[in-house]
Amino acid sequence: MLPVSQAEKIIFNLVQPLDGQRDTEVVTLLTAIDRIVAAPVASALDFPHWDNSAMDGYAVRYEDVQNCSEQQPAVLEIVEEIPAGHEPQRVIQPGQAARILTGAVMPVGADTVVMQEQTRRDEERVFILASPKPQEFVRHRASFYRAGTPLLPPGITINAPEIAVLAAAQCTQLTVYRRPRVAILSTGNELVTPDQPLQPGQIVDSNQYALAALVAQTGAEPVQVGIVPDEPEALKRAIAKALQTAEMVLSSGGVSVGDYDYVDQILAQLGAEIHIRAVAVRPGKPLTVARFPAAASNQKSVLYFGLPGNPVSALVSFWRFVQPAIRKLSGLSHSWGPVFVKARSHHDLRSDGKRETYLWGQLHLVDGSYEFQLAGGSHSSGNLINLAQTNGLAVLPVGQTSISAGEQIQVLQVSSPIVRTC
Ligand code: AMP
Ligand code: MG
């Protein structure tokens, strides 16, 4: 049984990210949100596009205003008014100025802007009451970005700030990684779909839906294969089909040591290298991780996760191992790993200390500090009902049997914390 840290290392090393040349698609600005940049983005435009004013004021020649004060103001003739969007028509000569507004293009001849507050206007003349610094309040062309140089690097996620940058740079289309496809299958003769009438002894396949939701939330495309009975031939067919349609396959159930647990044996028959069979984690001990090598040079290897059937174990395994693996597969160059935060526990937490233990509950952000509230009810891996509202998993490492209320604990953050102010 592998320690969690070792299992994590093996899994993350097995992930082969999508190919930035081949596994891409072109999206428009409005559909780029949450996508991952696949190729460096450059713009044909300098930014700023022109020398322009950072203030409302007067565009002047610095040499005309370098020695002035309230007592001895420089007096300049206003020859033009330049609002934003207007192309200057005049060249500023000695003794002249142009009224200029924020963002407007600097007129030829002027090199400095005097802010309005340092001036007094008298019809077509302006009195400069204090000397500016040379080139003050001028934003020079290309001082923020030079055309053709890298604007956005590959491997980052497009959020609103990047949309702003792309729009300003007139990059209306960009190349992003396509979403990786993740096939999901549930194994078990006892399983029925949520809309089928329940016969005695049957169990509703919740994993299919929970995993599909998690896969979609992680930015990948879930491919739902459905329920597969515990029959070796049926399982083999379903896994072989999943391998053809996806870069990653998740199955749940059938990976422990019961009489109907066939998954490992079928993976081996289909040519997989099995890297992990069990991890010292609670919940989630039976976890199979295998890799199907690429069938041809233009194909990719497929990573297979055989998750435990217990709904809580399946979800905890997903959050701890699969979610970061999907993020890495998606092309993210960083920030794909699991996120741990330090939080103050509201409750006493217990573990047998033999395996790394994950206790689910709510992560709150109270005045900037994290707090962890254990979910009420049973922490049995069969109890999925108290998973609702889970956004964090408190971690008790091997050897640690308890944490007292009020102590700090590491929490795996699985979605945004609930923000509260005292
Ligand atoms: P297994 O790992 O196949 O032995 O399953 C362990 C437990 O999880 C059994 O009680 C199963 O009925 C239950 N289980 C397995 N697969 C699912 C599923 N897809 N949805 C909900 N419960 C499941
Ligand atoms: Mg089963």
Side-chain angles (χ1 to χ4, degrees):
M1 216 169 25
L2 286 174
V4 170
S5 57
Q6 218 170 315
E8 173 186 68
K9 213 173 268 166
I10 293 172
I11 292 168
F12 297 162
N13 279 336
L14 286 172
V15 179
Q16 214 189 334
L18 292 181
D19 187 320
Q21 306 282 320
R22 279 200 310 242
D23 300 320
T24 62
E25 58 186 314
V26 174
V27 292
T28 60
L29 261 190
L30 280 177
T31 54
I33 192 82
D34 286 339
R35 305 303 300 269
I36 300 167
V37 178
V41 180
S43 169
L45 294 176
D46 289 329
F47 199 83
H49 316 310
W50 304 279
D51 287 359
N52 71 82
S53 175
M55 284 284 168
D56 290 342
Y58 293 87
V60 301
R61 298 157 60 95
Y62 175 71
E63 61 196 43
D64 286 350
V65 295
Q66 56 185 321
N67 288 316
C68 56
S69 64
E70 226 161 303
Q71 290 73 37
Q72 282 194 310
V75 185
L76 304 174
E77 178 201 359
I78 301 167
V79 294
E80 189 175 13
E81 175 124 352
I82 315 171
H86 180 96
E87 194 181 354
Q89 304 296 315
R90 301 281 296 264
V91 175
I92 304 301
Q93 306 290 347
Q96 294 184 337
R99 169 77 173 131
I100 195 162
L101 293 147
T102 305
V105 178
M106 285 292 286
V108 176
D111 55 16
T112 300
V113 171
V114 181
M115 65 196 287
Q116 189 168 316
E117 291 82 343
Q118 307 283 12
T119 65
R120 181 159 51 78
R121 185 159 180 172
D122 178 16
E123 297 191 338
E124 295 315 304
R125 291 184 310 166
V126 61
F127 292 72
I128 309 296
L129 307 176
S131 285
K133 297 194 193 93
Q135 303 190 23
E136 197 167 25
F137 301 129
V138 177
R139 296 188 287 222
H140 290 282
R141 174 175 183 163
S143 57
F144 302 153
Y145 171 76
R146 186 164 296 285
T149 60
L151 184 65
L152 297 179
I156 64 164
T157 303
I158 299 290
N159 286 307
E162 289 75 26
I163 299 266
V165 170
L166 291 165
Q170 293 197 320
C171 298
T172 53
Q173 295 200 322
L174 83 154
T175 305
V176 296
Y177 285 100
R178 64 173 175 75
R179 296 183 190 283
R181 286 181 293 262
V182 179
I184 302 163
L185 55 111
S186 300
T187 72
N189 292 332
E190 73 282 24
L191 300 178
V192 292
T193 59
D195 54 2
Q196 277 176 306
L198 202 60
Q199 302 301 324
Q202 290 186 323
I203 287 179
V204 180
D205 172 17
S206 55
N207 290 348
Q208 180 83 213
Y209 298 85
L211 293 171
L214 286 167
V215 164
Q217 264 183 355
T218 313
E221 189 187 318
V223 180
Q224 287 186 254
V225 178
I227 298 169
V228 186
D230 291 314
E231 290 160 17
E233 281 312 310
L235 254 178
K236 205 169 177 175
R237 274 197 306 275
I239 293 175
K241 190 169 155 225
L243 288 173
Q244 285 173 356
T245 53
E247 283 82 38
M248 187 184 281
V249 180
L250 311 179
S251 67
S252 68
V255 286
S256 44
V257 291
D259 292 344
Y260 297 97
D261 296 335
Y262 298 117
V263 170
D264 284 15
Q265 155 195 341
I266 287 166
L267 293 176
Q269 284 171 15
L270 288 171
E273 310 149 359
I274 299 190
H275 291 264
I276 296 175
R277 288 178 198 276
V279 181
V281 61
R282 181 190 299 275
K285 180 176 81 168
L287 174 71
T288 296
V289 181
R291 180 174 158 273
F292 287 89
S297 62
N298 63 345
Q299 286 178 3
K300 296 183 62 61
S301 61
V302 177
L303 200 53
Y304 188 103
F305 287 89
L307 305 173
N310 266 317
V312 177
S313 310
L315 262 63
V316 170
S317 307
F318 183 95
W319 280 318
R320 184 63 186 83
F321 301 113
V322 183
Q323 193 160 44
I326 293 178
R327 287 197 290 246
K328 184 174 180 191
L329 171 67
S330 305
L332 275 179
S333 56
H334 55 273
S335 306
W336 50 261
V339 177
F340 291 96
V341 298
K342 260 209 164 125
R344 195 177 65 87
S345 177
H346 283 193
H347 302 98
D348 293 340
L349 306 178
R350 304 251 171 274
S351 148
D352 66 5
K354 293 189 185 133
R355 292 188 249 150
E356 190 163 304
T357 298
Y358 288 74
L359 298 167
W360 50 102
Q362 283 188 338
L363 194 58
H364 296 255
L365 193 53
V366 185
D367 285 339
S369 300
Y370 286 105
E371 298 192 1
F372 179 75
Q373 196 173 330
L374 188 67
S378 163
H379 274 252
S380 143
S381 60
N383 179 16
L384 120 121
I385 300 302
N386 71 348
L387 264 186
Q389 297 288 289
T390 292
N391 60 0
L393 306 171
V395 189
L396 273 79
V398 174
Q400 181 148 22
T401 52
S402 69
I403 290 277
S404 304
E407 283 183 346
Q408 295 283 323
I409 184 147
Q410 288 279 96
V411 177
L412 174 65
Q413 185 180 324
V414 298
S415 58
S416 303
I418 296 164
V419 180
R420 288 197 285 123
T421 42
C422 281

PDB file of all heavy atoms in Angstrom, residues 266-295:
ATOM      1  N   ILE A 266      -8.633  -7.190 -15.963  1.00  0.00           N
ATOM      2  CA  ILE A 266      -9.001  -6.800 -17.332  1.00  0.00           C
ATOM      3  C   ILE A 266      -8.030  -5.755 -17.883  1.00  0.00           C
ATOM      4  O   ILE A 266      -7.629  -5.805 -19.049  1.00  0.00           O
ATOM      5  CB  ILE A 266     -10.449  -6.288 -17.359  1.00  0.00           C
ATOM      6  CG1 ILE A 266     -11.355  -7.493 -17.190  1.00  0.00           C
ATOM      7  CG2 ILE A 266     -10.766  -5.544 -18.642  1.00  0.00           C
ATOM      8  CD1 ILE A 266     -12.751  -7.163 -16.873  1.00  0.00           C
ATOM      9  N   LEU A 267      -7.618  -4.851 -17.021  1.00  0.00           N
ATOM     10  CA  LEU A 267      -6.654  -3.838 -17.464  1.00  0.00           C
ATOM     11  C   LEU A 267      -5.387  -4.513 -17.957  1.00  0.00           C
ATOM     12  O   LEU A 267      -4.847  -4.171 -19.015  1.00  0.00           O
ATOM     13  CB  LEU A 267      -6.317  -2.881 -16.312  1.00  0.00           C
ATOM     14  CG  LEU A 267      -7.453  -1.988 -15.830  1.00  0.00           C
ATOM     15  CD1 LEU A 267      -7.007  -1.163 -14.632  1.00  0.00           C
ATOM     16  CD2 LEU A 267      -7.933  -1.075 -16.945  1.00  0.00           C
ATOM     17  N   ALA A 268      -4.915  -5.492 -17.199  1.00  0.00           N
ATOM     18  CA  ALA A 268      -3.695  -6.203 -17.583  1.00  0.00           C
ATOM     19  C   ALA A 268      -3.908  -6.903 -18.929  1.00  0.00           C
ATOM     20  O   ALA A 268      -3.067  -6.833 -19.830  1.00  0.00           O
ATOM     21  CB  ALA A 268      -3.305  -7.198 -16.495  1.00  0.00           C
ATOM     22  N   GLN A 269      -5.085  -7.549 -19.090  1.00  0.00           N
ATOM     23  CA  GLN A 269      -5.366  -8.241 -20.364  1.00  0.00           C
ATOM     24  C   GLN A 269      -5.389  -7.268 -21.553  1.00  0.00           C
ATOM     25  O   GLN A 269      -5.027  -7.616 -22.658  1.00  0.00           O
ATOM     26  CB  GLN A 269      -6.723  -8.942 -20.299  1.00  0.00           C
ATOM     27  CG  GLN A 269      -6.710 -10.213 -19.484  1.00  0.00           C
ATOM     28  CD  GLN A 269      -8.137 -10.735 -19.280  1.00  0.00           C
ATOM     29  OE1 GLN A 269      -9.067 -10.308 -19.952  1.00  0.00           O
ATOM     30  NE2 GLN A 269      -8.276 -11.647 -18.323  1.00  0.00           N
ATOM     31  N   LEU A 270      -5.824  -6.040 -21.286  1.00  0.00           N
ATOM     32  CA  LEU A 270      -5.905  -5.057 -22.378  1.00  0.00           C
ATOM     33  C   LEU A 270      -4.574  -4.351 -22.633  1.00  0.00           C
ATOM     34  O   LEU A 270      -4.492  -3.436 -23.449  1.00  0.00           O
ATOM     35  CB  LEU A 270      -6.993  -4.020 -22.068  1.00  0.00           C
ATOM     36  CG  LEU A 270      -8.439  -4.512 -22.175  1.00  0.00           C
ATOM     37  CD1 LEU A 270      -9.412  -3.472 -21.634  1.00  0.00           C
ATOM     38  CD2 LEU A 270      -8.793  -4.831 -23.628  1.00  0.00           C
ATOM     39  N   GLY A 271      -3.548  -4.733 -21.898  1.00  0.00           N
ATOM     40  CA  GLY A 271      -2.212  -4.200 -22.185  1.00  0.00           C
ATOM     41  C   GLY A 271      -1.780  -3.026 -21.326  1.00  0.00           C
ATOM     42  O   GLY A 271      -0.830  -2.319 -21.669  1.00  0.00           O
ATOM     43  N   ALA A 272      -2.469  -2.803 -20.212  1.00  0.00           N
ATOM     44  CA  ALA A 272      -2.096  -1.659 -19.365  1.00  0.00           C
ATOM     45  C   ALA A 272      -0.927  -2.000 -18.459  1.00  0.00           C
ATOM     46  O   ALA A 272      -0.746  -3.153 -18.062  1.00  0.00           O
ATOM     47  CB  ALA A 272      -3.287  -1.247 -18.510  1.00  0.00           C
ATOM     48  N   GLU A 273      -0.137  -0.956 -18.148  1.00  0.00           N
ATOM     49  CA  GLU A 273       0.861  -1.106 -17.082  1.00  0.00           C
ATOM     50  C   GLU A 273       0.150  -0.643 -15.817  1.00  0.00           C
ATOM     51  O   GLU A 273      -0.347   0.484 -15.770  1.00  0.00           O
ATOM     52  CB  GLU A 273       2.041  -0.153 -17.301  1.00  0.00           C
ATOM     53  CG  GLU A 273       2.651  -0.159 -18.673  1.00  0.00           C
ATOM     54  CD  GLU A 273       3.221   1.219 -19.052  1.00  0.00           C
ATOM     55  OE1 GLU A 273       3.130   2.176 -18.261  1.00  0.00           O
ATOM     56  OE2 GLU A 273       3.745   1.306 -20.162  1.00  0.00           O
ATOM     57  N   ILE A 274       0.120  -1.489 -14.811  1.00  0.00           N
ATOM     58  CA  ILE A 274      -0.543  -1.075 -13.564  1.00  0.00           C
ATOM     59  C   ILE A 274       0.506  -0.483 -12.634  1.00  0.00           C
ATOM     60  O   ILE A 274       1.512  -1.126 -12.324  1.00  0.00           O
ATOM     61  CB  ILE A 274      -1.290  -2.259 -12.926  1.00  0.00           C
ATOM     62  CG1 ILE A 274      -2.354  -2.717 -13.934  1.00  0.00           C
ATOM     63  CG2 ILE A 274      -1.922  -1.848 -11.595  1.00  0.00           C
ATOM     64  CD1 ILE A 274      -3.349  -3.707 -13.435  1.00  0.00           C
ATOM     65  N   HIS A 275       0.301   0.756 -12.235  1.00  0.00           N
ATOM     66  CA  HIS A 275       1.289   1.455 -11.408  1.00  0.00           C
ATOM     67  C   HIS A 275       0.900   1.504  -9.942  1.00  0.00           C
ATOM     68  O   HIS A 275       1.766   1.575  -9.084  1.00  0.00           O
ATOM     69  CB  HIS A 275       1.489   2.881 -11.931  1.00  0.00           C
ATOM     70  CG  HIS A 275       2.176   2.930 -13.259  1.00  0.00           C
ATOM     71  ND1 HIS A 275       3.529   3.134 -13.389  1.00  0.00           N
ATOM     72  CD2 HIS A 275       1.708   2.756 -14.516  1.00  0.00           C
ATOM     73  CE1 HIS A 275       3.857   3.102 -14.668  1.00  0.00           C
ATOM     74  NE2 HIS A 275       2.771   2.873 -15.374  1.00  0.00           N
ATOM     75  N   ILE A 276      -0.389   1.495  -9.656  1.00  0.00           N
ATOM     76  CA  ILE A 276      -0.832   1.579  -8.256  1.00  0.00           C
ATOM     77  C   ILE A 276      -2.035   0.656  -8.083  1.00  0.00           C
ATOM     78  O   ILE A 276      -2.924   0.612  -8.944  1.00  0.00           O
ATOM     79  CB  ILE A 276      -1.246   3.042  -7.909  1.00  0.00           C
ATOM     80  CG1 ILE A 276      -0.039   3.985  -8.015  1.00  0.00           C
ATOM     81  CG2 ILE A 276      -1.851   3.121  -6.500  1.00  0.00           C
ATOM     82  CD1 ILE A 276      -0.377   5.450  -7.809  1.00  0.00           C
ATOM     83  N   ARG A 277      -2.034  -0.072  -6.966  1.00  0.00           N
ATOM     84  CA  ARG A 277      -3.196  -0.918  -6.661  1.00  0.00           C
ATOM     85  C   ARG A 277      -3.917  -0.481  -5.394  1.00  0.00           C
ATOM     86  O   ARG A 277      -5.107  -0.723  -5.233  1.00  0.00           O
ATOM     87  CB  ARG A 277      -2.781  -2.381  -6.501  1.00  0.00           C
ATOM     88  CG  ARG A 277      -2.400  -3.024  -7.815  1.00  0.00           C
ATOM     89  CD  ARG A 277      -1.939  -4.458  -7.597  1.00  0.00           C
ATOM     90  NE  ARG A 277      -1.195  -4.932  -8.749  1.00  0.00           N
ATOM     91  CZ  ARG A 277      -1.762  -5.445  -9.831  1.00  0.00           C
ATOM     92  NH1 ARG A 277      -3.058  -5.567  -9.896  1.00  0.00           N
ATOM     93  NH2 ARG A 277      -1.014  -5.830 -10.855  1.00  0.00           N
ATOM     94  N   ALA A 278      -3.176   0.126  -4.479  1.00  0.00           N
ATOM     95  CA  ALA A 278      -3.810   0.570  -3.226  1.00  0.00           C
ATOM     96  C   ALA A 278      -2.984   1.702  -2.638  1.00  0.00           C
ATOM     97  O   ALA A 278      -1.763   1.746  -2.803  1.00  0.00           O
ATOM     98  CB  ALA A 278      -3.892  -0.586  -2.239  1.00  0.00           C
ATOM     99  N   VAL A 279      -3.673   2.625  -1.990  1.00  0.00           N
ATOM    100  CA  VAL A 279      -3.012   3.779  -1.382  1.00  0.00           C
ATOM    101  C   VAL A 279      -3.419   3.838   0.093  1.00  0.00           C
ATOM    102  O   VAL A 279      -4.582   3.557   0.423  1.00  0.00           O
ATOM    103  CB  VAL A 279      -3.422   5.087  -2.113  1.00  0.00           C
ATOM    104  CG1 VAL A 279      -2.726   6.291  -1.495  1.00  0.00           C
ATOM    105  CG2 VAL A 279      -3.095   4.998  -3.594  1.00  0.00           C
ATOM    106  N   ALA A 280      -2.472   4.217   0.945  1.00  0.00           N
ATOM    107  CA  ALA A 280      -2.755   4.278   2.383  1.00  0.00           C
ATOM    108  C   ALA A 280      -3.516   5.559   2.706  1.00  0.00           C
ATOM    109  O   ALA A 280      -2.984   6.510   3.255  1.00  0.00           O
ATOM    110  CB  ALA A 280      -1.443   4.218   3.169  1.00  0.00           C
ATOM    111  N   VAL A 281      -4.787   5.550   2.291  1.00  0.00           N
ATOM    112  CA  VAL A 281      -5.627   6.729   2.470  1.00  0.00           C
ATOM    113  C   VAL A 281      -6.998   6.264   2.964  1.00  0.00           C
ATOM    114  O   VAL A 281      -7.448   5.164   2.648  1.00  0.00           O
ATOM    115  CB  VAL A 281      -5.713   7.515   1.135  1.00  0.00           C
ATOM    116  CG1 VAL A 281      -6.317   6.706   0.029  1.00  0.00           C
ATOM    117  CG2 VAL A 281      -6.436   8.831   1.296  1.00  0.00           C
ATOM    118  N   ARG A 282      -7.629   7.108   3.766  1.00  0.00           N
ATOM    119  CA  ARG A 282      -8.970   6.782   4.224  1.00  0.00           C
ATOM    120  C   ARG A 282      -9.847   8.022   4.047  1.00  0.00           C
ATOM    121  O   ARG A 282      -9.472   9.074   4.546  1.00  0.00           O
ATOM    122  CB  ARG A 282      -8.934   6.411   5.713  1.00  0.00           C
ATOM    123  CG  ARG A 282     -10.312   6.021   6.280  1.00  0.00           C
ATOM    124  CD  ARG A 282     -10.259   5.919   7.777  1.00  0.00           C
ATOM    125  NE  ARG A 282      -9.331   4.906   8.251  1.00  0.00           N
ATOM    126  CZ  ARG A 282      -9.623   3.609   8.392  1.00  0.00           C
ATOM    127  NH1 ARG A 282     -10.823   3.182   8.103  1.00  0.00           N
ATOM    128  NH2 ARG A 282      -8.734   2.770   8.851  1.00  0.00           N
ATOM    129  N   PRO A 283     -10.945   7.962   3.360  1.00  0.00           N
ATOM    130  CA  PRO A 283     -11.443   6.809   2.607  1.00  0.00           C
ATOM    131  C   PRO A 283     -10.719   6.704   1.260  1.00  0.00           C
ATOM    132  O   PRO A 283     -10.096   7.663   0.841  1.00  0.00           O
ATOM    133  CB  PRO A 283     -12.907   7.184   2.394  1.00  0.00           C
ATOM    134  CG  PRO A 283     -12.935   8.668   2.386  1.00  0.00           C
ATOM    135  CD  PRO A 283     -11.837   9.115   3.310  1.00  0.00           C
ATOM    136  N   GLY A 284     -10.800   5.530   0.654  1.00  0.00           N
ATOM    137  CA  GLY A 284     -10.296   5.408  -0.711  1.00  0.00           C
ATOM    138  C   GLY A 284      -9.149   4.445  -0.917  1.00  0.00           C
ATOM    139  O   GLY A 284      -8.462   4.532  -1.931  1.00  0.00           O
ATOM    140  N   LYS A 285      -8.943   3.512  -0.004  1.00  0.00           N
ATOM    141  CA  LYS A 285      -7.767   2.632  -0.095  1.00  0.00           C
ATOM    142  C   LYS A 285      -7.639   1.886  -1.430  1.00  0.00           C
ATOM    143  O   LYS A 285      -6.583   1.928  -2.055  1.00  0.00           O
ATOM    144  CB  LYS A 285      -7.765   1.640   1.076  1.00  0.00           C
ATOM    145  CG  LYS A 285      -6.593   0.689   1.052  1.00  0.00           C
ATOM    146  CD  LYS A 285      -6.567  -0.204   2.247  1.00  0.00           C
ATOM    147  CE  LYS A 285      -7.511  -1.377   2.085  1.00  0.00           C
ATOM    148  NZ  LYS A 285      -7.336  -2.421   3.081  1.00  0.00           N
ATOM    149  N   PRO A 286      -8.684   1.175  -1.889  1.00  0.00           N
ATOM    150  CA  PRO A 286      -8.474   0.484  -3.169  1.00  0.00           C
ATOM    151  C   PRO A 286      -8.499   1.505  -4.303  1.00  0.00           C
ATOM    152  O   PRO A 286      -9.525   2.101  -4.593  1.00  0.00           O
ATOM    153  CB  PRO A 286      -9.660  -0.480  -3.266  1.00  0.00           C
ATOM    154  CG  PRO A 286     -10.705   0.087  -2.373  1.00  0.00           C
ATOM    155  CD  PRO A 286     -10.063   1.015  -1.397  1.00  0.00           C
ATOM    156  N   LEU A 287      -7.353   1.752  -4.882  1.00  0.00           N
ATOM    157  CA  LEU A 287      -7.283   2.713  -5.992  1.00  0.00           C
ATOM    158  C   LEU A 287      -6.319   2.133  -7.010  1.00  0.00           C
ATOM    159  O   LEU A 287      -5.162   1.867  -6.692  1.00  0.00           O
ATOM    160  CB  LEU A 287      -6.766   4.066  -5.495  1.00  0.00           C
ATOM    161  CG  LEU A 287      -6.526   5.105  -6.589  1.00  0.00           C
ATOM    162  CD1 LEU A 287      -7.840   5.615  -7.164  1.00  0.00           C
ATOM    163  CD2 LEU A 287      -5.714   6.280  -6.052  1.00  0.00           C
ATOM    164  N   THR A 288      -6.829   1.902  -8.202  1.00  0.00           N
ATOM    165  CA  THR A 288      -5.970   1.379  -9.259  1.00  0.00           C
ATOM    166  C   THR A 288      -5.600   2.511 -10.200  1.00  0.00           C
ATOM    167  O   THR A 288      -6.470   3.270 -10.629  1.00  0.00           O
ATOM    168  CB  THR A 288      -6.719   0.285 -10.049  1.00  0.00           C
ATOM    169  OG1 THR A 288      -6.987  -0.798  -9.155  1.00  0.00           O
ATOM    170  CG2 THR A 288      -5.888  -0.224 -11.212  1.00  0.00           C
ATOM    171  N   VAL A 289      -4.324   2.629 -10.490  1.00  0.00           N
ATOM    172  CA  VAL A 289      -3.893   3.610 -11.490  1.00  0.00           C
ATOM    173  C   VAL A 289      -3.064   2.859 -12.523  1.00  0.00           C
ATOM    174  O   VAL A 289      -2.096   2.172 -12.179  1.00  0.00           O
ATOM    175  CB  VAL A 289      -3.067   4.753 -10.863  1.00  0.00           C
ATOM    176  CG1 VAL A 289      -2.667   5.757 -11.939  1.00  0.00           C
ATOM    177  CG2 VAL A 289      -3.863   5.446  -9.753  1.00  0.00           C
ATOM    178  N   ALA A 290      -3.490   2.963 -13.762  1.00  0.00           N
ATOM    179  CA  ALA A 290      -2.808   2.234 -14.836  1.00  0.00           C
ATOM    180  C   ALA A 290      -2.631   3.151 -16.032  1.00  0.00           C
ATOM    181  O   ALA A 290      -3.310   4.173 -16.156  1.00  0.00           O
ATOM    182  CB  ALA A 290      -3.641   1.018 -15.234  1.00  0.00           C
ATOM    183  N   ARG A 291      -1.715   2.768 -16.868  1.00  0.00           N
ATOM    184  CA  ARG A 291      -1.471   3.573 -18.066  1.00  0.00           C
ATOM    185  C   ARG A 291      -1.484   2.657 -19.279  1.00  0.00           C
ATOM    186  O   ARG A 291      -0.832   1.608 -19.279  1.00  0.00           O
ATOM    187  CB  ARG A 291      -0.111   4.244 -17.933  1.00  0.00           C
ATOM    188  CG  ARG A 291       0.278   5.118 -19.087  1.00  0.00           C
ATOM    189  CD  ARG A 291       1.577   5.821 -18.743  1.00  0.00           C
ATOM    190  NE  ARG A 291       2.251   6.254 -19.945  1.00  0.00           N
ATOM    191  CZ  ARG A 291       3.087   5.507 -20.657  1.00  0.00           C
ATOM    192  NH1 ARG A 291       3.384   4.278 -20.269  1.00  0.00           N
ATOM    193  NH2 ARG A 291       3.645   5.984 -21.747  1.00  0.00           N
ATOM    194  N   PHE A 292      -2.255   3.051 -20.281  1.00  0.00           N
ATOM    195  CA  PHE A 292      -2.234   2.336 -21.555  1.00  0.00           C
ATOM    196  C   PHE A 292      -1.268   3.075 -22.462  1.00  0.00           C
ATOM    197  O   PHE A 292      -1.505   4.238 -22.801  1.00  0.00           O
ATOM    198  CB  PHE A 292      -3.633   2.318 -22.188  1.00  0.00           C
ATOM    199  CG  PHE A 292      -4.584   1.404 -21.484  1.00  0.00           C
ATOM    200  CD1 PHE A 292      -5.350   1.872 -20.426  1.00  0.00           C
ATOM    201  CD2 PHE A 292      -4.705   0.083 -21.860  1.00  0.00           C
ATOM    202  CE1 PHE A 292      -6.211   1.030 -19.761  1.00  0.00           C
ATOM    203  CE2 PHE A 292      -5.571  -0.772 -21.199  1.00  0.00           C
ATOM    204  CZ  PHE A 292      -6.334  -0.299 -20.141  1.00  0.00           C
ATOM    205  N   PRO A 293      -0.159   2.440 -22.859  1.00  0.00           N
ATOM    206  CA  PRO A 293       0.798   3.147 -23.712  1.00  0.00           C
ATOM    207  C   PRO A 293       0.151   3.529 -25.043  1.00  0.00           C
ATOM    208  O   PRO A 293      -0.793   2.872 -25.486  1.00  0.00           O
ATOM    209  CB  PRO A 293       1.920   2.128 -23.932  1.00  0.00           C
ATOM    210  CG  PRO A 293       1.658   1.008 -22.999  1.00  0.00           C
ATOM    211  CD  PRO A 293       0.219   1.054 -22.607  1.00  0.00           C
ATOM    212  N   ALA A 294       0.677   4.578 -25.678  1.00  0.00           N
ATOM    213  CA  ALA A 294       0.134   5.026 -26.956  1.00  0.00           C
ATOM    214  C   ALA A 294       0.250   3.893 -27.975  1.00  0.00           C
ATOM    215  O   ALA A 294       1.291   3.243 -28.067  1.00  0.00           O
ATOM    216  CB  ALA A 294       0.901   6.249 -27.433  1.00  0.00           C
ATOM    217  N   ALA A 295      -0.839   3.673 -28.741  1.00  0.00           N
ATOM    218  CA  ALA A 295      -0.845   2.580 -29.717  1.00  0.00           C
ATOM    219  C   ALA A 295       0.010   2.933 -30.933  1.00  0.00           C
ATOM    220  O   ALA A 295       0.578   2.065 -31.579  1.00  0.00           O
ATOM    221  CB  ALA A 295      -2.278   2.288 -30.142  1.00  0.00           C
TER     222      ALA A 295
END
